[in-house]
Amino acid sequence: MPTLDEELFPSTPGKFKIDHRSYGINRQFYRFFASTSTMFLWALFLIALTVSYLSFQSFVDSSTRYLSASWGGLQWEKQVRTSAEIHRAGGMSVLVTGASGFVGTHVSLALKRRGDGVVGLDNFNNYYDPSLKKARKALVNRHGVFVVEGDVNDARLLDKLLDIVAFTHVMHLAAQAGVRYAMENPNSYVHSNIAGLVTLLEACKSANPQPAIVWASSSSVYGLNEKVPFSELDRTDQPASLYAATKKAGEEITHTYNHIYGLSITGLRFFTVYGPWGRPDMAYFSFTRNILQGKPITVYRGKNKVDLARDFTYIDDIVKGCLGSLDTSGKSTGSGGRKKGPAAYRIFNLGNTSPVTVPALVRILEEHLKTKAKKNILDMPGNGDVPFTHANISSARVELGYKPTTDLRTGLKKFVRWYLSYYGYDAVQP
């Protein structure tokens, strides 16, 4: 069969007379056909290239998300289950949020020591030096507590944890702390203290079985209340700071979830917690650092030159209150997000009941550090701080068996010993 070239251009010249008119038309048609085919092929090529790129990009994105995820996988699930194993009769399995925070670390260790199952969750944010949080994580790891790095706003992570382990309790300590920082970054308080709390409650109310919840409110909810000592029955509708307002909002939100979904919920109003592994933004911590470094400290006074006073509560006493709350919480009554009966809703003050002025605190630190503080005395700015706190703990005494035993002088001595050791001040002895 002759080829297309042979048909157009015969091999024996002179035997075929070319019709130039028809040849011109055919040549134009051929060029048009050839150019259209080429364009079509280029279009197909570009489409194929685009599809390939999108598929590859999707693969890369998926792989990146998988590789960068800090949780998930068989090994991870095994660590969660192992950490949650209960090693005592009648024990509990507890998910502790904010497990690498100050209170979270101590509560996790106390639970693990007595044989309860504990899994931690912490996002290791940089509100203060994350290296301290990492050190706390290493501490609880050595005692068999696995801490998941993740945010309490991550609903998928919470659902996964509650699916892997049928936690009997949740100890919710994750929060954006600090009164003054709220003036710099208010959104962080809404994100953590309100949105994060709701995300956690949503996960817990849908879990089957539902865990009982104990969570950290704050003495700051008493706000501008002038009646002392502060009682759980006092009004709490006059917050003095955004931090206080988010904690007050948390109390209203938890009441709602208790009422609608049957979640057993206990709120704990902490009063100025201090001790080893504490928060660097707290006054006693920063005072210690500055005194040792020879830097001045700022001591604020209230109206009419009145000294500020706080109901300083040692960490071990707070831990006793937390464990007592877990032990007496009662069960949630819902299932799959539906309430089947009333569940406990409680709020307790956890304080020391012995307020101490800030100048007295400084004098105790000077004694333990054997160094005189350089003090700047200033009037308290309008940053949300309140002039005093004083806890009425009668309800916690009766229902939780709560009884604080550590006075400020003893507690600060323990803190200073830890501080000197942790930061390497071997030459200075309290």
Side-chain angles (χ1 to χ4, degrees):
M1 175 178 295
T3 65
L4 178 61
D5 288 339
E6 290 173 340
E7 290 180 350
L8 292 176
F9 302 99
S11 56
T12 308
K15 293 188 176 180
F16 185 81
K17 184 176 181 180
I18 298 176
D19 186 340
H20 292 283
R21 183 183 63 182
S22 63
Y23 169 69
I25 294 175
N26 289 338
R27 184 170 59 180
Q28 291 176 11
F29 176 78
Y30 174 73
R31 288 176 177 173
F32 173 78
F33 178 77
S35 62
T36 302
S37 301
T38 301
M39 290 175 63
F40 180 71
L41 290 174
W42 272 109
L44 286 177
F45 174 74
L46 290 173
I47 291 172
L49 187 63
T50 301
V51 171
S52 299
Y53 172 77
L54 292 175
S55 299
F56 177 74
Q57 188 64 40
S58 176
F59 171 76
V60 169
D61 291 342
S62 299
S63 300
T64 301
R65 285 194 298 269
Y66 176 79
L67 292 173
S68 63
S70 59
W71 60 273
L74 295 177
Q75 181 61 29
W76 179 84
E77 292 186 14
K78 181 180 179 181
Q79 288 177 295
V80 170
R81 291 191 180 94
T82 300
S83 189
E85 289 178 357
I86 301 170
H87 296 284
R88 71 179 178 97
M92 58 184 69
S93 56
V94 187
L95 173 63
V96 180
T97 71
S100 292
F102 174 31
V103 179
T105 295
H106 286 273
V107 169
S108 297
L109 290 172
L111 288 169
K112 200 67 177 180
R113 285 194 200 103
R114 72 178 196 177
D116 292 315
V118 184
V119 176
L121 175 65
D122 205 292
N123 69 353
F124 298 93
N125 67 22
N126 60 358
Y127 167 61
Y128 59 82
D129 185 5
S131 68
L132 180 57
K133 300 178 185 180
K134 295 291 185 180
R136 295 190 193 120
K137 177 184 178 181
L139 174 64
V140 298
N141 282 164
R142 290 196 297 271
H143 288 80
V145 177
F146 178 54
V147 180
V148 176
E149 186 164 352
D151 197 290
V152 74
N153 279 283
D154 189 339
R156 288 179 57 249
L157 172 56
L158 292 177
D159 289 342
K160 185 68 174 178
L161 288 169
L162 292 169
D163 180 58
I164 295 172
V165 177
F167 290 103
T168 60
H169 297 75
V170 170
M171 186 79 214
H172 179 47
L173 299 169
Q176 176 58 62
V179 170
R180 300 171 190 174
Y181 183 61
M183 299 181 71
E184 301 176 31
N185 189 2
N187 289 334
S188 66
Y189 289 79
V190 177
H191 175 79
S192 296
N193 301 359
I194 296 179
L197 176 60
V198 171
T199 304
L200 177 71
L201 293 171
E202 280 290 303
C204 290
K205 62 98 170 174
S206 300
N208 194 6
Q210 291 178 334
I213 301 170
V214 177
W215 74 288
S217 183
S218 169
S219 63
S220 67
V221 300
Y222 291 109
L224 303 178
N225 184 12
E226 295 183 353
K227 172 184 169 292
V228 291
F230 298 153
S231 166
E232 293 91 343
L233 299 178
D234 292 343
R235 63 186 298 183
T236 54
D237 59 351
Q238 302 177 93
S241 66
L242 178 61
Y243 170 71
T246 61
K247 287 298 185 179
K248 173 60 178 177
E251 292 187 354
E252 303 302 327
I253 291 168
T254 53
H255 183 275
T256 301
Y257 274 79
N258 164 263
H259 172 68
I260 296 177
Y261 300 110
L263 287 171
S264 170
I265 299 180
T266 302
L268 302 177
R269 293 172 178 170
F270 295 158
F271 280 73
T272 315
V273 189
Y274 73 99
W277 296 99
R279 282 178 21 219
D281 64 313
M282 299 291 285
Y284 73 95
F285 200 113
S286 62
F287 286 173
T288 300
R289 179 179 61 244
N290 285 3
I291 291 172
L292 287 171
Q293 294 177 357
K295 298 178 180 179
I297 64 174
T298 300
V299 178
Y300 291 113
R301 296 179 302 192
K303 294 180 180 178
N304 302 319
K305 312 299 182 183
V306 175
D307 291 331
L308 303 185
R310 293 288 182 269
D311 199 344
F312 295 102
T313 313
Y314 189 63
I315 183 61
D316 288 358
D317 292 329
I318 289 292
V319 170
K320 293 174 188 175
C322 290
L323 268 59
S325 299
L326 289 167
D327 292 338
T328 61
S329 61
K331 294 184 178 180
S332 294
T333 61
S335 177
R338 293 188 177 185
K339 179 180 177 180
K340 294 184 177 179
Y345 183 80
R346 311 176 301 169
I347 292 180
F348 297 110
N349 289 336
L350 294 186
N352 193 53
T353 74
S354 301
V356 177
T357 66
V358 174
L361 165 75
V362 174
R363 287 193 295 271
I364 295 172
L365 284 174
E366 289 175 327
E367 292 175 15
H368 289 322
L369 295 169
K370 295 178 172 43
T371 306
K372 198 71 176 176
K374 301 174 183 177
K375 296 184 283 289
N376 292 327
I377 311 297
L378 300 176
D379 291 333
M380 183 175 65
N383 56 15
D385 270 331
V386 294
F388 60 85
T389 61
H390 185 185
N392 177 335
I393 61 170
S394 56
S395 292
R397 284 185 188 274
V398 172
E399 296 195 40
L400 308 180
Y402 174 70
K403 185 179 180 181
T405 58
T406 307
D407 62 84
L408 184 61
R409 183 175 298 276
T410 302
L412 284 178
K413 183 177 182 179
K414 294 179 179 180
F415 165 74
V416 167
R417 184 182 298 119
W418 168 82
Y419 187 97
L420 297 176
S421 173
Y422 182 79
Y423 289 102
Y425 287 89
D426 296 329
V428 183
Q429 296 298 325

